[in-house]
Amino acid sequence: MAITSLLFFFALLFSCYLSKTLVYGAAMVTCSVSTKGKFHGLRIASRYGPCSPLAQENSTPDSSETLLKDEVRVRSINSLTSNMYTTLDQDEQKGTGMRLFGAADIGAGNLVVMVGFGTPKQDYPFIFDTGSDVTWMQCKLCSVNCQQTASIYNPAESSTFSNATCSSSPSCNYSINYQDGSYSEGYYIRDTLTVLPNEVFPNFVFGCGQNISHNKFGRAAGLLGLGQKGSNTLLSQTNSKFRKTFCYCLPAADSSRGYLWFGPQSLEACQTSKFTPLVTGPRDSTFYFVNLIGITFGELRLNVSSYFQSSPNTILDSGTVITRLPPSTYSALSSAFRKSMSQYPRAAFLKPNLDTCYNLENYPDVKIPSMVLHFENSVDVNLDSTAVTWRESNSQVCLAFAGSEKEDKLTIIGNHQQRNMNVLELADDRQHAVEMKPLLPTFKSTPLITNQGSSTTWIQCKPCINCYEQEEPIFDPSQSSTFSNSSHQYTQNYHDKSYASGYFAHDALTMSTYEVKDFEFLCARNNSGIFGEVAGVLGIGLSDNSLISQTFSNFLQLFCYCLPPTENSSGFLVFGTTAATTCLPQVSTPLISDPDGYNRYFVNLVGITIGTKTLQISSNDASSLRNTIIDSGTRISRLPPSVYSELRSSFNDLMSKYPVAPKSGLMDTCYNLEGYDQSSIIPPMILHFDNSVDLNLDHNSVVLSETDYKVCLAFAEDTETIIGSHQQRNVNVLYDIVDKKVGFSAGSCGN
């Protein structure tokens, strides 16, 4: 499936290594890596550095060899994204039953990570590449160039190995062809993948390489592909836990290590205040495209060509080493660099493509100007001297950029310019992102009413014009150092004539261990209604200023709740990927658009069963039911008049032997069950939703107890169909806004 709306994040505040001490031109040598607390990410190492699991490879390539391999990769990337290169991209070659992939050349392959496969788990070193889709590794009986340092993976020695099921190739074979003529051939299998402690994925599909041509991969076990195209990519196969979210920080130097995180941990490890959209590239490409709109070198904003105005033309690639720019842009940058270095002697070119070099042997205190890459959405990525230059030796320093062959070739941001930088990528259909900062306490916890029918979060604020009494102290903005307000006045009105009126403001919102800086809410100073003694309303509707939208970067628009089964018990509200694992439903029903545009949660209710009888619903009523609101702020459910009438009639038939009691407010069907066992008398109900999703209601949800013995049918008639909180009690309800679905599962509020 094509990915059409993505987000890409830069964060420049954190170091890949434990020590933050820097020496000019390079990071301080260390192999330690840490973010916050105990480290559970994958460590990224420079392939030929002392921290690498492949440090004992036969030889370390010199710069010319690295740059030559890099040039081959860049040419293959440009070929794959243009009409110059004919690929059999994931098509079955006639008569062979083999799936063929045209792939970008591996290039320098200068970054490696350790990943676990099989049971018992064994860790293997993989080349790390965001420009590749397929994850593959050498397998016994591998026939050509099997030279990895670790024991070669043997499927027969893993208790969780199985053959893969392939719909597009009868033999389940694959062949990955690289443009330089090298290749990896084999067949697809399944086994357990372990990427992080306690993050295990059974039946992971990957390529079991039997024939690996050209000694391109050295002693690495294979390639870990973090591309985004296809259903068998690592991101797709781990989507249930990781939501196609990952971040990395590439090693600042060969003698240090970086890290790779997945899922919610990546959001915490790579917190950022800068984001720019990922955009869809040509031919549904696997690469990560962004819009680079300008470059500043030192104090000079380069007069770049109109090339950057036509998107998408820029990719972020971990497998390319040196950043490539259009010839005209590179010429302007090279000219500015030469001008800044005019007092120093020139040095020979560093083949094949670093042509702006200087000899600094007798100049220990050279100050290289910084550089800024300007991306869409006002994202500025600052590059220090270590990213601007390539240090060939203690004396020779070159501008670490190269010009492309032609003006219409891709701009590629290479890994040399990404070093020591947190890069967070959300590779799924995401629509919003907000700032993320280190977690800081703000003010005392305050109880709020949670309401998914409301989008605006408001809280009573001092100084009050008209505030009702609340249990906790009223929020005083003057006591918060992070508070800021606006002149935008607003009144939140409710159907029961309640209201909250004030002005929009911003402050830090803290929920458990997560903080959202600059959270927008209504600072309400004139309020009236039946709010009890709580401070306000926590709006978890769907608008742009709702809690769900403003915490997108933290929680990916996922949340679930379990409402308390009784007045004397408690439930829970969980956000983010944890919500998906806490409230995992068997099946989900689609969320549909609010027909009135109020950003409420609508689903399609298609039927109701009471006891053993399924109600007969007319076509007109069926149309009304197909616009059903799920709302935690409404207590008892509402049904169209004729549907409610049939439900009431069926309920009365089943309760005919018991004494009737007076109606109670909206509830007009009540019984006196003094002396009876309610659990055995009251019939169960099932609410049937689209996609064969059934919400089972026990007797506690079918009726509402007015006293120990008086119960009333907990439904009422209305022009709108609403599933209220009483019918959601002790049910796990999971909302996935991105995938537009809601699921139900057996409640666990007591846990």
Side-chain angles (χ1 to χ4, degrees):
M1 176 180 290
I3 297 176
T4 58
S5 180
L6 308 172
L7 292 176
F8 166 81
F9 289 74
F10 290 106
L12 306 177
L13 303 178
F14 300 98
S15 170
C16 293
Y17 42 87
L18 184 61
S19 170
K20 299 219 174 166
T21 305
L22 298 177
V23 294
Y24 173 74
M28 187 173 185
V29 175
T30 174
C31 285
S32 299
V33 58
S34 178
T35 50
K36 299 179 282 295
K38 189 175 181 180
F39 177 77
H40 288 305
L42 297 176
R43 289 178 168 86
I44 302 177
S46 296
R47 179 173 171 179
Y48 303 102
C51 303
S52 170
L54 304 177
Q56 302 305 313
E57 287 200 289
N58 294 334
S59 62
T60 300
D62 59 21
S63 290
S64 293
E65 182 179 349
T66 296
L67 294 173
L68 182 60
K69 291 178 178 179
D70 197 45
E71 186 67 16
V72 173
R73 178 178 175 90
V74 168
R75 291 180 181 180
S76 69
I77 289 175
N78 277 301
S79 296
L80 282 170
T81 53
S82 70
N83 294 323
M84 294 171 57
Y85 184 65
T86 301
T87 73
L88 298 175
D89 186 16
Q90 300 191 24
D91 288 334
E92 187 179 349
Q93 185 183 35
K94 293 182 179 179
T96 67
M98 178 177 289
R99 298 175 73 196
L100 299 180
F101 296 82
D105 189 88
I106 197 63
N110 60 341
L111 299 169
V112 293
V113 295
M114 295 291 288
V115 181
F117 274 88
T119 305
K121 177 178 75 74
Q122 282 191 274
D123 291 323
Y124 300 94
F126 283 80
I127 294 172
F128 164 68
D129 188 4
T130 60
S132 297
D133 290 323
V134 179
T135 292
W136 62 265
M137 68 188 301
Q138 297 182 121
C139 294
K140 291 185 178 179
L141 301 163
C142 176
S143 59
V144 180
N145 287 328
C146 298
Q147 303 182 41
Q148 67 190 69
T149 54
S151 298
I152 293 177
Y153 167 76
N154 187 351
E157 295 178 352
S158 172
S159 63
T160 49
F161 153 77
S162 65
N163 290 316
T165 301
C166 299
S167 59
S168 61
S169 57
S171 63
C172 217
N173 291 346
Y174 78 92
S175 177
I176 302 176
N177 296 311
Y178 298 96
Q179 195 178 8
D180 69 346
S182 61
Y183 55 85
S184 170
E185 294 180 346
Y187 54 91
Y188 285 110
I189 64 172
R190 300 177 186 269
D191 209 339
T192 297
L193 167 72
T194 303
V195 290
L196 297 172
N198 301 319
E199 299 292 2
V200 178
F201 297 89
N203 298 316
F204 181 81
V205 177
F206 62 99
C208 184
Q210 298 291 290
N211 186 5
I212 292 90
S213 167
H214 288 235
N215 191 14
K216 294 275 296 181
F217 309 102
R219 296 182 181 274
L223 186 141
L224 187 72
L226 285 175
Q228 58 176 312
K229 182 181 179 183
S231 60
N232 283 338
T233 65
L234 186 148
L235 295 182
S236 293
Q237 293 189 72
T238 61
N239 183 45
S240 61
K241 286 188 178 181
F242 295 151
R243 305 292 295 174
K244 293 187 179 180
T245 301
F246 68 96
C247 79
Y248 58 79
C249 185
L250 304 184
D254 285 349
S255 54
S256 63
R257 286 189 290 191
Y259 48 75
L260 172 62
W261 294 83
F262 293 93
Q265 290 180 328
S266 65
L267 295 171
E268 181 177 353
C270 297
Q271 295 183 63
T272 178
S273 60
K274 297 176 182 289
F275 65 91
T276 191
L278 280 170
V279 293
T280 302
R283 302 184 63 183
D284 194 21
S285 172
T286 189
F287 299 106
Y288 294 93
F289 279 80
V290 293
N291 287 329
L292 179 67
I293 60 176
I295 297 173
T296 295
F297 180 77
E299 300 297 323
L300 175 65
R301 179 75 178 243
L302 301 183
N303 183 19
V304 300
S305 70
S306 59
Y307 169 87
F308 288 140
Q309 307 304 317
S310 58
S311 62
N313 290 306
T314 300
I315 69 170
L316 186 89
D317 183 39
S318 70
T320 299
V321 179
I322 297 298
T323 291
R324 300 308 198 277
L325 298 171
S328 60
T329 302
Y330 174 71
S331 177
L333 173 63
S334 177
S335 176
F337 185 79
R338 289 195 302 271
K339 185 175 181 179
S340 72
M341 301 289 286
S342 59
Q343 59 185 306
Y344 306 112
R346 294 289 297 268
F349 291 4
L350 190 57
K351 295 182 179 181
N353 48 27
L354 298 189
D355 59 8
T356 308
C357 303
Y358 291 84
N359 186 336
L360 303 182
E361 182 176 7
N362 298 317
Y363 302 90
D365 299 320
V366 175
K367 185 176 181 180
I368 306 289
S370 61
M371 190 169 167
V372 182
L373 303 179
H374 304 286
F375 293 89
E376 189 181 5
N377 207 26
S378 300
V379 171
D380 291 340
V381 176
N382 297 283
L383 305 180
D384 64 14
S385 62
T386 64
V388 173
T389 58
W390 178 278
R391 186 175 290 274
E392 173 62 10
S393 64
N394 289 332
S395 59
Q396 187 177 8
V397 173
C398 302
L399 176 63
F401 291 78
S404 300
E405 290 181 326
K406 296 180 180 179
E407 198 73 16
D408 61 352
K409 298 301 181 182
L410 292 175
T411 295
I412 304 175
I413 309 300
N415 63 45
H416 187 77
Q417 278 66 43
Q418 297 177 55
R419 296 191 310 169
N420 201 33
M421 178 189 300
N422 281 340
V423 180
L424 172 64
E425 301 192 25
L426 303 182
D428 207 345
D429 298 324
R430 305 303 193 221
Q431 302 299 327
H432 303 284
V434 295
E435 289 190 348
M436 296 179 64
K437 291 291 187 179
L439 309 179
L440 301 170
T442 309
F443 46 82
K444 184 177 179 180
S445 297
T446 302
L448 299 173
I449 295 174
T450 304
N451 189 352
Q452 81 218 69
S454 297
S455 292
T456 302
T457 294
W458 62 266
I459 185 174
Q460 295 200 119
C461 287
K462 290 184 177 179
C464 284
I465 298 172
N466 175 38
C467 287
Y468 57 83
E469 291 187 5
Q470 66 179 60
E471 184 175 347
E472 298 291 329
I474 293 176
F475 173 63
D476 187 350
S478 67
Q479 300 301 308
S480 173
S481 62
T482 51
F483 175 84
S484 64
N485 64 0
S486 70
S487 59
H488 181 42
Q489 302 286 323
Y490 184 76
T491 298
Q492 177 69 58
N493 292 303
Y494 298 95
H495 288 301
D496 65 356
K497 308 302 182 182
S498 300
Y499 62 87
S501 183
Y503 55 89
F504 277 107
H506 296 82
D507 208 335
L509 170 71
T510 303
M511 297 184 299
S512 185
T513 60
Y514 286 95
E515 181 191 76
V516 181
K517 188 176 177 63
D518 222 23
F519 180 79
E520 184 179 64
F521 63 100
L522 180 64
C523 196
R525 299 175 57 203
N526 180 12
N527 321 299
S528 177
I530 310 173
F531 301 112
E533 295 183 344
V534 300
V537 171
L538 191 69
I540 53 176
L542 287 170
S543 73
D544 289 344
N545 72 334
S546 73
L547 174 70
I548 301 304
S549 295
Q550 292 193 68
T551 59
F552 169 81
S553 292
N554 302 73
F555 304 134
L556 306 180
Q557 292 189 323
L558 275 170
F559 70 96
C560 79
Y561 56 72
C562 186
L563 304 183
T566 66
E567 298 293 338
N568 298 321
S569 60
S570 62
F572 56 76
L573 173 62
V574 185
F575 293 89
T577 307
T578 304
T581 56
T582 302
C583 301
L584 184 64
Q586 293 291 328
V587 289
S588 299
T589 191
L591 281 171
I592 60 177
S593 299
D594 187 335
D596 299 319
Y598 291 129
N599 297 306
R600 297 167 295 181
Y601 295 98
F602 274 79
V603 293
N604 289 329
L605 180 65
V606 297
I608 299 173
T609 297
I610 177 79
T612 59
K613 179 183 178 182
T614 299
L615 304 185
Q616 296 299 312
I617 298 174
S618 69
S619 58
N620 288 337
D621 290 330
S623 177
S624 298
L625 294 180
R626 295 188 70 83
N627 286 298
T628 296
I629 303 168
I630 301 183
D631 182 33
S632 64
T634 300
R635 189 175 189 189
I636 64 171
S637 293
R638 307 299 207 274
L639 296 170
S642 58
V643 177
Y644 174 69
S645 177
E646 187 176 353
L647 173 63
R648 179 179 57 192
S649 176
S650 299
F651 183 77
N652 283 334
D653 288 345
L654 294 168
M655 299 290 290
S656 60
K657 65 175 66 175
Y658 305 106
V660 174
K663 70 176 184 179
S664 180
L666 290 173
M667 298 180 293
D668 59 7
T669 307
C670 302
Y671 287 85
N672 185 334
L673 298 182
E674 186 174 10
Y676 294 99
D677 179 9
Q678 296 182 17
S679 62
S680 62
I681 293 173
I682 299 168
M685 276 183 66
I686 304 175
L687 302 179
H688 306 287
F689 297 92
D690 249 357
N691 203 29
S692 300
V693 172
D694 291 340
L695 174 57
N696 295 281
L697 307 181
D698 62 16
H699 71 282
N700 289 316
S701 298
V702 173
V703 298
L704 193 150
S705 298
E706 286 288 283
T707 65
D708 290 341
Y709 53 86
K710 180 184 176 182
V711 300
C712 300
L713 180 63
F715 289 80
E717 67 175 53
D718 203 320
T719 55
E720 289 188 307
T721 306
I722 304 173
I723 307 301
S725 62
H726 188 75
Q727 279 66 44
Q728 299 178 56
R729 298 191 309 167
N730 206 32
V731 175
N732 292 333
V733 187
L734 173 65
Y735 293 80
D736 185 338
I737 312 306
V738 172
D739 289 338
K740 297 181 180 179
K741 61 185 179 181
V742 59
F744 308 102
S745 60
S748 55
C749 295
N751 297 324

